[in-house]
Amino acid sequence: MQPTVKHFEITARDGLVLRGEAFGDSANKATPLLCLPGLTRTSRDFHPLAERLATDPDHPRFVLTLNSRGRGSSDYDKNPENYNVITEARDAIDAITAAGLHEVIILGTSRGGLLMLAIAAIQPNLIAGAIFNDIGPILDATGIARIKTYLTRSEPVKTWEDAVAYVKTANHKHFFGLAAEDWERMARMTFRDEGGVPKSDFDPYIAKALESIDLSETKIDLWPQFMALSHCPTLVLRGETSDILAATTAKEMVSRHPDCQLFEAKGHGHAPLLFVDSINDRIDAFLQEVDSKRQARLPQTDPAWLTEDEITYIADPDRPSEASSAPSSESEQDLMDDPMAGLPI
């Protein structure tokens, strides 16, 4: 069964046009899923999963796959300084709003998970469930250095054979047991096809920004943003050989969060590939768990109303109610200013 796929575009609040794909019907009862890709990745990373979820005969789900600004089919930004987590998180919020959605599950791969943390600080009520694909509140500098090296020092590829060799060279130490067709599939997700020639699918300024980062001075601690997700079920996907999400950090995410699960993708590094059945099986099961928990907390559509005689008023209805104000949560400014400003991925 082929899913209904629509290409969409929205205009962000600063006028830049963002594009992506919508799989399935937004009227489906299952909680919608928004997929946010990594630093130089595109929505193609999520297409196999999105197709599966949208065509599930028992639980069809509406899935949005978004290209961040400067990636894939979205417009490049004339001001490279806008390639930052806060701006891109607001772009994602704009996409949710434009789609007419009030609450979504978010799947964030690498930088996409950082965008989710920013959304959790800005507008947590949008998030019904969270899936971190090999990313967390603490980033391992070893992996950041590796990403920086292959993005800033690699030679351009000229053929699809070059493209396959490129992804193997960059990833073979962290991915085991992949077949030849898997490496080719990874290459097709990494590069776009332009007249039979593979081309990088992101603004070069994104990689250029990595050149100036001093990893010895990069300190990232996003635990407050992570705890802003305490209200919703959370799944942490970690590649077994990941050099971005340390095993200790993943376990601490589970211990700190009241409803968090951990799944380790065997033979995968950063980040687990979302065309592998065992990984997508776990994601699908988690999504259905979120649906059940969300349904349990929603108001009933047919409440059993009390009769007038059964109602006990605990306050004088003629007395004006006193204004009350609940303690305010940490402001967006408090949560976002320092830790998110200089994120390297």
Side-chain angles (χ1 to χ4, degrees):
M1 178 180 176
Q2 290 296 317
T4 300
V5 184
K6 296 180 180 179
H7 296 276
F8 69 84
E9 64 177 43
I10 68 160
T11 302
R13 61 193 72 187
D14 63 359
L16 188 133
V17 177
L18 307 170
R19 297 178 179 86
E21 298 78 36
F23 292 76
D25 188 345
S26 60
N28 287 335
K29 292 183 179 180
T31 313
L33 176 68
L34 171 66
C35 300
L36 302 175
L39 177 65
T40 60
R41 308 296 301 183
T42 72
S43 62
R44 289 191 299 275
D45 286 351
F46 303 105
H47 288 180
L49 174 64
E51 290 175 1
R52 166 178 170 163
L53 296 174
T55 58
D56 187 304
D58 300 316
H59 306 281
R61 190 176 307 275
F62 182 61
V63 183
L64 288 177
T65 60
L66 178 68
N67 292 294
S68 295
R69 60 178 61 209
R71 289 86 160 179
S73 56
S74 289
D75 285 356
Y76 288 11
D77 201 311
K78 294 180 180 179
N79 180 7
E81 292 184 2
N82 288 333
Y83 294 132
N84 64 73
V85 167
I86 304 304
T87 299
E88 293 168 22
R90 292 190 177 116
D91 289 343
I93 293 173
D94 290 345
I96 295 170
T97 303
L101 305 176
H102 305 289
E103 196 176 29
V104 297
I105 302 168
I106 299 180
L107 165 54
T109 294
S110 194
R111 184 183 180 90
L114 301 180
L115 302 190
M116 176 164 55
L117 288 173
I119 295 169
I122 297 171
Q123 205 167 337
N125 60 302
L126 285 177
I127 306 176
I131 305 175
F132 290 89
N133 188 15
D134 211 62
I135 194 71
I138 305 294
L139 308 185
D140 193 322
T142 303
I144 297 173
R146 176 179 60 83
I147 292 172
K148 178 180 177 181
T149 298
Y150 79 74
L151 283 181
T152 58
R153 298 181 185 176
S154 59
E155 296 294 326
V157 300
K158 297 179 180 179
T159 66
W160 280 107
E161 289 76 13
D162 292 342
V164 174
Y166 171 89
V167 297
K168 289 183 73 172
T169 299
N171 297 284
H172 75 279
K173 292 183 179 179
H174 301 278
F175 286 83
F176 303 98
L178 294 186
E181 57 267 27
D182 295 326
W183 289 114
E184 183 169 351
R185 195 169 189 177
M186 189 187 297
R188 295 281 176 177
M189 289 179 168
T190 303
F191 298 92
R192 73 174 185 272
D193 187 283
E194 198 170 281
V197 178
K199 298 289 184 180
S200 294
D201 211 5
F202 60 90
D203 189 337
Y205 277 104
I206 296 171
K208 190 174 181 62
L210 293 177
E211 296 177 359
S212 61
I213 292 174
D214 184 351
L215 294 176
S216 65
E217 298 181 359
T218 301
K219 305 295 181 183
I220 299 171
D221 184 343
L222 302 176
W223 286 113
Q225 287 77 15
F226 176 72
M227 294 312 297
L229 291 167
S230 297
H231 68 284
C232 68
T234 297
L235 173 65
V236 179
L237 299 175
R238 179 180 180 272
E240 180 184 22
T241 61
S242 174
D243 57 0
I244 289 289
L245 178 60
T248 52
T249 300
K251 291 177 181 177
E252 189 171 354
M253 292 169 76
V254 174
S255 66
R256 289 199 187 197
H257 193 287
D259 186 4
C260 184
Q261 307 168 35
L262 173 62
F263 177 79
E264 190 167 80
K266 301 300 182 183
H268 286 240
H270 181 80
L273 302 170
L274 302 183
F275 57 74
V276 176
D277 285 342
S278 60
I279 297 173
N280 289 349
D281 286 347
R282 186 66 192 88
I283 293 174
D284 194 2
F286 173 77
L287 294 172
Q288 293 186 43
E289 289 179 34
V290 175
D291 290 341
S292 297
K293 292 175 181 178
R294 181 169 176 258
Q295 185 62 37
R297 65 177 171 80
L298 289 176
Q300 298 299 310
T301 57
D302 185 22
W305 298 102
L306 297 175
T307 65
E308 184 70 22
D309 293 339
E310 294 173 308
I311 298 175
T312 301
Y313 292 98
I314 60 175
D316 185 348
D318 297 324
R319 180 181 178 182
S321 60
E322 296 180 1
S324 62
S325 59
S328 61
S329 60
E330 292 179 284
S331 68
E332 176 185 337
Q333 190 73 21
D334 294 336
L335 283 167
M336 309 312 302
D337 268 355
D338 292 334
M340 308 292 276
L343 287 175
I345 66 170

